[in-house]
Amino acid sequence: MTDPLVAATATDQIRTPAAPVGAAARHRPLDLRSVRLHPAGPLGAMQERNAAATIAHCIEHLGPALDHFRRVLGESDAENPGFVADTDVYKTIEAAAWEIARTGTTAWDAWLDETIGLIARVQEPSGYLVTWVQADPAKERFADLEGAHEMYALGHLIQAAVALDRAAGRGDLLAIARAFADLVDREFGPGRKDGICGHPEIETALVELYRHTGERRYLDLAARMIDLRGRGLLKTGHLGAEYFQDHAPVREARSAVGHAVRQLYLNAGAADVYLETGERALLEAMHAQWDSVHERKMYLTGAFGARHQGEAFGDDYELPSDRAYAETCATIADVHFNWRMLLAGDRSAAGYAEAIERELHNALAAAVDATGTRFFYASPLHLRPDRLSEGHAPRERQSWYSCACCPPNLARLTAQLGSYVATVADGELALHLYADAEIDVPDSLGGGTLRVDTAYPADGRVRLRLTGSEGLDLALRVPSWSPTALLDGTATAPDDDGYLRLRLTAETTLSFDLAPRWTRAHHRADALRGSAAIERGPVVYCVEQVDLPADVALDDVLVDAGAPLDEHDGSPHLTFPAAVRPSAPGLYGPPRNPDAPRPVTVTAVPFAQWGNRGGDAMRVWLPAV
Amino acid sequence: MTDPLVAATATDQIRTPAAPVGAAARHRPLDLRSVRLHPAGPLGAMQERNAAATIAHCIEHLGPALDHFRRVLGESDAENPGFVADTDVYKTIEAAAWEIARTGTTAWDAWLDETIGLIARVQEPSGYLVTWVQADPAKERFADLEGAHEMYALGHLIQAAVALDRAAGRGDLLAIARAFADLVDREFGPGRKDGICGHPEIETALVELYRHTGERRYLDLAARMIDLRGRGLLKTGHLGAEYFQDHAPVREARSAVGHAVRQLYLNAGAADVYLETGERALLEAMHAQWDSVHERKMYLTGAFGARHQGEAFGDDYELPSDRAYAETCATIADVHFNWRMLLAGDRSAAGYAEAIERELHNALAAAVDATGTRFFYASPLHLRPDRLSEGHAPRERQSWYSCACCPPNLARLTAQLGSYVATVADGELALHLYADAEIDVPDSLGGGTLRVDTAYPADGRVRLRLTGSEGLDLALRVPSWSPTALLDGTATAPDDDGYLRLRLTAETTLSFDLAPRWTRAHHRADALRGSAAIERGPVVYCVEQVDLPADVALDDVLVDAGAPLDEHDGSPHLTFPAAVRPSAPGLYGPPRNPDAPRPVTVTAVPFAQWGNRGGDAMRVWLPAV
């Protein structure tokens, strides 16, 4: 049954990955095509590299996954490339779809024709479509909800399909996705079997499908998946219920626990359900989750997952730099979670936007190299010289992984970046991310074009020029690290919500304080005690062994967290004076006055750039006096 | 073929778990029955509790394991209790055997009759005896050397059998063990198939079997297992070669890596092979291993394994208190490793003895509760209030585990404790551990009895009295934390090797400095930076939430590592003044001057006693100025 109210809205849907239609969304996103990031800035450059290299690289590496689709048809005897390989295909399609929305490219049309044709042939008449199960006669459909990732696969299929329909008006994949969604609805919908997927993801996708089709039952199914979680439906075995977020009902689970990607996709889905239902209890649970994730369990780089074991969140304040699992997909999932909380508008957008900015400029920028073809799956904040490479946590970026969830996930997120720059709320255009860009102002705000001229975050000046309009009410985020902003040279404090408001008629220049700074962690963060990090604007720095004299071991450097941090024109590097501690025998002993340390000048580089000169030692947090 | 030289020695073998016959062993152990620990002291009390409660508790919990032996015979349809359950039986038998050696008890004779009878019936005519494989028609013998733990099971069978024969002159289990060992020798001995076990343990056991039987081929087989390791024979899969110590030949692997219990059993076995062959290259590799384990990878409590993932050693200096896996079995394996290195006598015995002492009084003493019936498998040095229980790392001691390797391992080690107190070397009796005890002096040193009268480590005075002899040359270990010792009231420095030498004719009193002290960790130990711990003699302390005022969170306590540590007569507790840090919002921020902390008096208790009043928060390392 189509909800007439929603369907009317749906036809006007903008090309963006989360397009709420419910009244609970105070902020409305902009069409991806109306925010054009210039390649001169770092976000625009990420998009260009993604379009020019990463998406093609993903397509090139999807061979085994696509062969596994063919195996279901008896056209290949390819080995199973893993239980989420189908979704690598879907995420790559989604990345291509957003690129089509952004640039109108036709470069991937033939590949899309072929791939979607193959997927269509593999889909069963029932709608079922998971090659991990279909290719193995021993496996039954929906018999292993914990491990088979069937609804997870459907979730990514839906997201790709909606993106492709929204972006290019291409509905063939959407028909496939809907047929599978309808099967899941018949099997697990209201009044049917109780069942949830071991890996959340379908929730946020079903809400999108509702938004896109106007079919209320997809929203109901998403809400049902949220409702059924935490009721012991999963056979959680040795992994434990927390791993699956099945230990407590979603509205009662206040702490982020277990597999970080699962928790954060679940949170994004719950936030999406709130955006459409306005259910306060769900929002309040998500506020608690947000606080748990960002106030007690987030790495400085905007990464998540303190434990390799279970790819999991640790305790509150358990944030070891060396053992950070910090999976790229977890940060991507948190961008989604933050964005949906921002759209809700129940709290100030500033915290959400600042988290997204931290994630984009650090964890996600570091997850890919300059060529766009090598990736981190796990992105620790400290690499010791003797650390061995481990499975998904190698010492250096890899071109692909046996479980390749991260590279195509990064590709789809990067293609969406324009969506996260600004929103419309309360008659204002709210600018959340600063990037060199051109924004078409919606007619509801007077139309015209807003030119954002900036080298941010290399430079703190942001010039805003409005053309084709008589005036625009702007809300401009002032980052928390820049206590005041200069507005045309005058120090101006933001409103309580962290946004500075003005009516722009022609041009104004905003300047933030980008002086590099020393950062400390909360006193309960044991792994970071006695250490300090360096930040400049939203950019986190690190020190690499390769920049130190040959006779200085990085782990012997002792910094003064009050030392001047020198900038060098035209370089993102910083230098500062520090000390080298003499080597000391013995692991434990009485407190002692060590020999005098000797001086050394240390160079720090943006975390995003580390590891591009080999996989030697690196630290974000530096032992400090 | 029996080596006549060895066989002659073997008949005189003393009742002790490692009885070298080779010339490379400079130190010779004493017979377990000739070192009588008094139950008034902590080591003697551990033995009494072990005899009175733990061994019976283990026997009580072996039902499923023994039923699985019956399943092989078709007399039970018990589920498989796990791939090492056979060894739980063997380790319990071994514990009973050393108790028989120690006290002559007959309490377990009937149980031994029944159990050994059952084992004998399960053994195949070939000698094969692993119920994990035998009970499952789908499993082939020696087809899964990585995972089936067949030689590991044989290793524990041999150790139990040798102990029973040495201790009680009971040879029935020895015949079973030899038949299985002979099968392995026929399959994998020199000139046969190349194969090693995924879990080292057989190496040290085979050397013991050689010592006990005089059959050289068991030593050759042990040496072959050492030689073949690190040559890529194992299919190591996603666990990686390091997990199995199969990444490098044993003589080249200088760092302790991978599964900690495996590495340490392997090291014990390699040291045992050295003791019999005198091969210098092997000893030098073990020196490097020892340094890696104890100078860079040991927890203050004498525990090992910094990572849950793979139950593994971390990098050098990677020693997180919260995520310490610190498996009880790893510490037990390290006692074995240390003891064999001590017997070698190539370096001073002091370092090895001090490591054993640290392990016994801390990690191992904490691994069991006061009743002797509840155990830690993993024993972290920091428990946060919000930490969830995980599989083998619950918040509180458990009566048994699904993989129950630790409780019976602790039982067998505890029953052996007398063996680790003293040795004979160079015409001296060397005293390595201080405990209230009576020692029969070997005739080679003049005979008689040495009475060691002490409340150590509660009190630092050790009164030594010799009776029945005219004189005894003694080497007395001076612990590194007591820079000098008082000998009958006179400060006396030890020799360079850490031992104080004297000829005892009647009586003397030695006193160590037991003042409680603050301890710091090496500057590279990131997880311990900015923290201090408390030790008193060999005893590590901790602070428990239960001893703090209700409004003070343990993780907010800030100590001054120069604060006086007050002792209280008759109590093992210490108190000291500290500060409580005000709660602070925000995870990261600029350095700031916090609000003034408020004072609090903190009580510290021996780590061994923690968790006996519930599973609330605990810390060994305290944030410190």
Side-chain angles (χ1 to χ4, degrees), chain B residues 577-596:
Chain B
V580 184
R581 288 202 260 205
S583 67
L587 187 50
Y588 304 113
R592 55 188 157 192
N593 292 321
D595 297 342

Side-chain angles (χ1 to χ4, degrees), chain B residues 406-567:
Chain B
C406 297
N409 212 0
L410 197 62
R412 72 175 183 138
L413 184 88
T414 306
Q416 298 167 359
L417 281 184
S419 295
Y420 303 114
V421 168
T423 56
V424 175
D426 307 322
E428 297 170 341
L429 185 78
L431 215 50
H432 306 295
L433 298 184
Y434 295 101
D436 202 50
E438 211 163 60
I439 301 173
D440 295 334
V441 179
D443 291 342
S444 64
L445 298 183
T449 301
L450 177 68
R451 180 77 184 89
V452 183
D453 241 334
T454 184
Y456 183 97
D459 188 285
R461 279 167 302 180
V462 181
R463 191 162 67 129
L464 300 160
R465 272 186 302 155
L466 183 69
T467 54
S469 165
E470 298 197 347
L472 170 64
D473 287 322
L474 276 174
L476 303 164
R477 182 174 65 87
V478 177
S480 67
W481 41 260
S482 181
T484 58
L486 298 180
L487 196 59
D488 292 323
T490 306
T492 312
D495 294 346
D496 284 348
D497 69 350
Y499 284 74
L500 192 158
R501 288 181 169 77
L502 57 87
R503 180 162 180 86
L504 182 69
T505 50
E507 185 176 325
T508 191
T509 296
L510 191 61
S511 295
F512 300 120
D513 179 2
L514 275 184
R517 63 195 190 275
W518 289 101
T519 295
R520 293 275 193 174
H522 190 281
H523 72 252
R524 288 190 182 177
D526 292 282
L528 310 178
R529 181 169 303 121
S531 297
I534 298 166
E535 296 179 282
R536 181 177 177 279
V539 175
V540 174
Y541 277 69
C542 68
V543 176
E544 292 190 79
Q545 180 67 54
V546 69
D547 289 318
L548 288 168
D551 63 342
V552 174
L554 173 54
D555 285 341
D556 291 336
V557 170
L558 180 69
V559 307
D560 170 356
L565 295 159
D566 295 329
E567 301 188 71

Side-chain angles (χ1 to χ4, degrees), chain A residues 315-351:
Chain A
D315 296 342
D316 285 352
Y317 304 106
E318 179 190 326
L319 293 161
S321 296
D322 48 1
R323 295 304 288 164
Y325 194 67
E327 184 181 342
T328 299
C329 282
T331 297
I332 292 169
D334 195 59
V335 171
H336 291 180
F337 176 36
N338 270 293
W339 185 244
R340 284 153 181 78
M341 295 300 282
L342 184 154
L343 293 179
D346 189 63
R347 288 184 183 174
S348 155

Side-chain angles (χ1 to χ4, degrees), chain A residues 298 307 309 316 318 323 382 384 386 518 520 522-524 526 529 531 556 584 587-589 619, chain B residues 298 307 309 316 318 323 382 384 386 520 522-524 526 529 531 556 584 587-589 591 619:
Chain A
M298 180 179 72
R307 300 181 183 174
Q309 181 88 0
D316 285 352
E318 179 190 326
R323 295 304 288 164
H382 177 200
R384 290 198 187 80
D386 61 328
W518 290 100
R520 294 275 193 175
H522 191 281
H523 71 253
R524 287 189 181 176
D526 292 282
R529 182 169 302 120
S531 296
D556 291 337
L587 188 49
Y588 304 113
R619 300 189 74 106
Chain B
M298 180 179 73
R307 300 181 183 174
Q309 180 87 1
D316 284 353
E318 179 190 325
R323 296 303 289 164
H382 177 200
R384 291 197 187 80
D386 61 327
R520 293 275 193 174
H522 190 281
H523 72 252
R524 288 190 182 177
D526 292 282
R529 181 169 303 121
S531 297
D556 291 336
L587 187 50
Y588 304 113
R619 300 189 73 105

Side-chain angles (χ1 to χ4, degrees), chain B residues 65 68-69 72 80-82 85-86 122 128-136:
Chain B
H68 199 250
F69 279 86
V72 176
N80 195 318
D86 291 6
V122 172
Y128 190 86
L129 179 55
V130 179
T131 73
W132 165 258
V133 172
Q134 290 171 277
D136 183 348

Side-chain angles (χ1 to χ4, degrees), chain B residues 564-606:
Chain B
L565 295 159
D566 295 329
E567 301 188 71
H568 303 274
D569 269 356
S571 161
H573 296 193
L574 303 170
T575 55
F576 58 95
V580 184
R581 288 202 260 205
S583 67
L587 187 50
Y588 304 113
R592 55 188 157 192
N593 292 321
D595 297 342
R598 61 195 166 99
V600 65
T601 298
V602 176
T603 298
V605 303

